[in-house]
Amino acid sequence: MYKLMTAGPTQVSESVRKALSTHRGNPDIDIEFLEYYKNLCLKFSKFFNTDNEFYILGGEGILGLESACASLTEKGDRVLVIDNGVFGKGFKDFVELYGGEAVLYTVDDRNPVDIDKLNEYLKKDSNFKYATVVHCDTPSGILNDVSAISKLLSSYNIMSVVDSVSSSFGVPLSMGEIDILCLGSQKALSAPTGLTIIGVSDRAKKSMENRKTKIASFYANILAFKDYYENRWFPYTMPIYDIYALGQAMDNVINDENVFERHSKMANITRETVKAMGLKLYTESGYSDTVTVFEVPECTTCDDIVSIMKDKHNILISGSFDYLLGKVLRIGHMGENANEKDVYETLLALYETLLEVGFDISKSKEEIFYFM
Ligand SMILES: *Cc1c(COP(=O)(O)O)cnc(C)c1O
């Protein structure tokens, strides 16, 4: 098996794997599970410094994004889709699927969304039910200041849906004015794939309850979870094994006092080393501490680097997709991946790989890896 250094799924710790494989009860009838679920949701509220309720949904990160749009959008609703990356633009599809009018606010993808410019835009047009924005747009690694953006939107009475699937637990965030916060299990939380966690504000819940038309989905209907505790009923059988594993992963994060410091340190080392080797980072500012994205050098291809890293060094990093396909490479230093041993090994392997494909590195190995 190779070392997993992608931007999700990430490495899963022994403690989480153990929690996953422990025999569990029946989530439909076990009160113990109901209490466990509720408690775990409260841990998310506390972690994001909010009283807003969280729900764990049985489905990958995408389910959270779709649920937010399905539950808020009514036919003809205008939705501002803030786009400076692949996932940013991707929200357009969900909005339109549920009958909304997606208005794209497309800006430079190499820098974070400029709050002042967004404000200028909203001064002219702020007739939106809600807006969508991505915290870390993983394919490019850009990090947007979603706290400031959601605050600004809120001042115009616009609700905000924030995709923080690949940044939360590696980068600090409070829920603040965010109306629906979307998280995932398999990125910096380092739990197995398959779960979405969403935080929902009272304002968003009210908006869903006051709809004129029904939510056009069962599985992606957030309101279906609203009174699960009182009714002792979930809309579908909860993936109990995955949820206990998620709980262990969450405890690991909570008990790790240096979680953000660790991410920041590993991110800085990765960025500095990649630059010292003569490679170019994709974004110009606003780097997420969860992933480093750099351009594929001209002398080689993305596939060649990924293959050599995997076949010769036993380390899996990844390319990207959509308009970045073949253009950039990504090292995911989030969650369990964010430790010195694995990050250093990955960087050393990248160095050897670059030499193998004939990339001209001007600095000496000692200069580049001075910190080791
Ligand atoms: C991974 C990810 C998602 C969820 O994608 P899945 O394929 O469902 O795991 C959503 N948004 C961002 C920014 C992501 O990185």
Side-chain angles (χ1 to χ4, degrees):
M1 203 33 205
Y2 46 74
K3 189 191 296 297
L4 191 56
M5 290 300 283
T6 54
T10 54
Q11 298 174 35
V12 176
S13 75
E14 180 70 34
S15 63
V16 173
R17 289 202 301 272
K18 207 170 149 223
L20 183 69
S21 63
T22 304
H23 182 68
R24 306 292 180 193
N26 183 328
D28 292 327
I29 44 186
D30 240 343
I31 294 302
E32 207 178 299
F33 173 74
L34 184 73
E35 295 295 339
Y36 185 86
Y37 180 101
K38 167 115 184 156
N39 254 321
L40 181 50
C41 290
L42 286 173
K43 285 181 189 177
F44 285 106
S45 300
K46 188 161 176 231
F47 191 82
F48 291 96
N49 303 308
T50 179
D51 293 330
N52 291 336
E53 202 169 4
F54 277 73
Y55 306 113
I56 303 157
L57 314 182
E60 255 303 315
I62 290 293
L63 176 63
L65 318 187
E66 177 160 359
S67 296
C69 296
S71 302
L72 287 178
T73 316
E74 286 195 80
K75 200 170 182 304
D77 282 342
R78 289 183 87 230
V79 178
L80 185 66
V81 175
I82 299 175
D83 156 35
N84 64 338
V86 175
F87 281 97
K89 188 188 234 88
F91 266 111
K92 178 174 183 280
D93 296 338
F94 294 126
V95 169
E96 289 177 348
L97 263 175
Y98 292 94
E101 183 198 334
V103 178
L104 277 174
Y105 176 77
T106 300
V107 286
D108 169 26
D109 73 336
R110 291 190 190 244
N111 291 288
V113 171
D114 184 314
I115 309 289
D116 294 331
K117 285 187 186 150
L118 178 61
N119 191 22
E120 288 308 311
Y121 177 89
L122 291 170
K123 274 182 191 163
K124 289 179 218 123
D125 185 4
S126 62
N127 180 26
F128 301 104
K129 183 176 196 179
Y130 69 97
T132 61
V133 62
V134 179
H135 194 194
C136 166
D137 212 309
T138 333
S140 67
I142 194 80
L143 188 79
N144 290 312
D145 185 350
V146 291
S147 294
I149 293 170
S150 56
K151 223 181 203 168
L152 175 68
L153 290 165
S154 193
S155 74
Y156 285 93
N157 234 341
I158 303 168
M159 291 186 287
S160 53
V161 170
V162 171
D163 170 356
S164 185
V165 172
S166 69
S167 34
S168 275
F169 311 104
V171 173
L173 179 70
S174 288
M175 187 147 175
E177 299 282 310
I178 296 168
D179 286 284
I180 301 185
L181 175 62
C182 304
L183 312 165
S185 56
Q186 47 116 330
K187 304 277 167 90
L189 201 44
S190 282
T193 52
L195 296 176
T196 270
I197 307 103
I198 50 169
V200 188
S201 75
D202 290 340
R203 179 163 76 158
K205 279 186 201 165
K206 272 202 193 88
S207 167
M208 292 172 205
E209 282 166 340
N210 293 337
R211 290 171 58 113
K212 293 185 199 78
T213 53
K214 275 193 173 173
I215 293 171
S217 173
F218 182 83
Y219 213 74
N221 179 347
I222 294 174
L223 274 188
F225 276 82
K226 208 183 113 266
D227 297 315
Y228 76 91
Y229 188 72
E230 292 73 15
N231 298 339
R232 299 180 173 191
W233 183 85
F234 291 102
Y236 45 86
T237 299
M238 288 286 106
I240 182 167
Y241 292 83
D242 292 330
I243 289 174
Y244 273 94
L246 183 79
Q248 181 62 53
M250 186 59 183
D251 284 344
N252 292 351
V253 169
I254 292 167
N255 294 330
D256 180 356
E257 283 168 19
N258 299 320
V259 64
F260 297 127
E261 203 186 310
R262 176 165 58 86
H263 279 85
S264 150
K265 203 171 150 208
M266 290 304 106
N268 270 313
I269 282 178
T270 306
R271 287 192 288 262
E272 290 314 314
T273 308
V274 158
K275 280 196 283 184
M277 287 193 256
L279 296 164
K280 189 169 173 283
L281 297 176
Y282 183 74
T283 56
E284 291 161 359
S285 65
Y287 308 102
S288 175
D289 284 344
T290 53
V291 60
T292 292
V293 183
F294 53 93
E295 295 181 4
V296 177
E298 263 176 34
C299 67
T300 184
T301 65
C302 180
D303 288 348
D304 275 352
I305 302 260
V306 171
S307 304
I308 297 171
M309 288 286 286
K310 182 161 172 277
D311 298 341
K312 294 214 168 144
H313 302 278
N314 233 13
I315 296 173
L316 188 69
I317 63 169
S318 69
S320 198
F321 49 96
D322 204 85
Y323 67 91
L324 289 169
L325 180 72
K327 295 196 173 127
V328 296
L329 285 151
R330 301 184 293 161
I331 297 174
H333 36 72
M334 58 175 84
E336 295 290 329
N337 298 11
N339 69 82
E340 270 179 24
K341 182 176 173 290
D342 290 337
V343 169
Y344 291 3
E345 273 181 32
T346 304
L347 292 170
L348 278 169
L350 180 64
Y351 175 83
E352 299 294 335
T353 303
L354 287 171
L355 289 183
E356 187 173 334
V357 298
F359 181 64
D360 193 14
I361 300 178
S362 60
K363 285 188 179 166
S364 72
K365 192 170 176 183
E366 288 68 34
E367 253 181 296
I368 296 168
F369 293 98
Y370 69 91
F371 52 88
M372 287 178 74

